[in-house]
């Protein structure tokens, strides 16, 4: 069974995703940010909104 995260942990994931998404959107590599944070793609997909997922290249809004 997956561990449930508290609001602070979810906020951390959202904040890291937002920052990494902007880094990627403006042409830099955001991969190291995720390696250092320990955030998984599963956690990103569960807790992060579509805007940030699109910036991270995990979804394509045009396909929806």
């Amino acid at each position: 069974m997956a561990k449930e995260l508290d609001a602070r942990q979810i906020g951390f994931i959202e904040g890291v995703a937002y920052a990494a998404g902007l880094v990627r959107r403006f042409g830099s590599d955001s991969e190291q940010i995720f390696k250092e944070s320990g955030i998984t793609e599963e956690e990103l997909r569960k807790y992060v909104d579509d805007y940030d997922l699109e910036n991270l290249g995990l979804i394509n809004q045009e396909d929806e």
Side-chain angles (χ1 to χ4, degrees):
M1 182 173 199
K3 175 180 93 169
E4 289 299 315
L5 302 179
D6 64 31
R8 186 179 68 81
Q9 293 166 313
I10 293 170
F12 175 76
I13 291 169
E14 292 170 335
V16 169
Y18 177 76
L22 289 178
V23 166
R24 185 177 184 276
R25 186 175 197 168
F26 291 104
S28 294
D29 182 20
S30 60
E31 191 66 32
Q32 188 65 29
I33 294 171
F34 289 113
K35 287 180 184 175
E36 295 292 329
S37 71
I39 296 170
T40 66
E41 186 174 329
E42 179 182 338
E43 290 171 326
L44 289 173
R45 291 185 182 277
K46 183 173 182 179
Y47 298 113
V48 174
D49 65 25
D50 288 349
Y51 173 81
D52 294 324
L53 290 175
E54 184 176 12
N55 283 341
L56 293 168
L58 296 175
I59 64 169
N60 186 349
Q61 289 285 19
E62 296 170 358
D63 294 339
E64 293 183 358

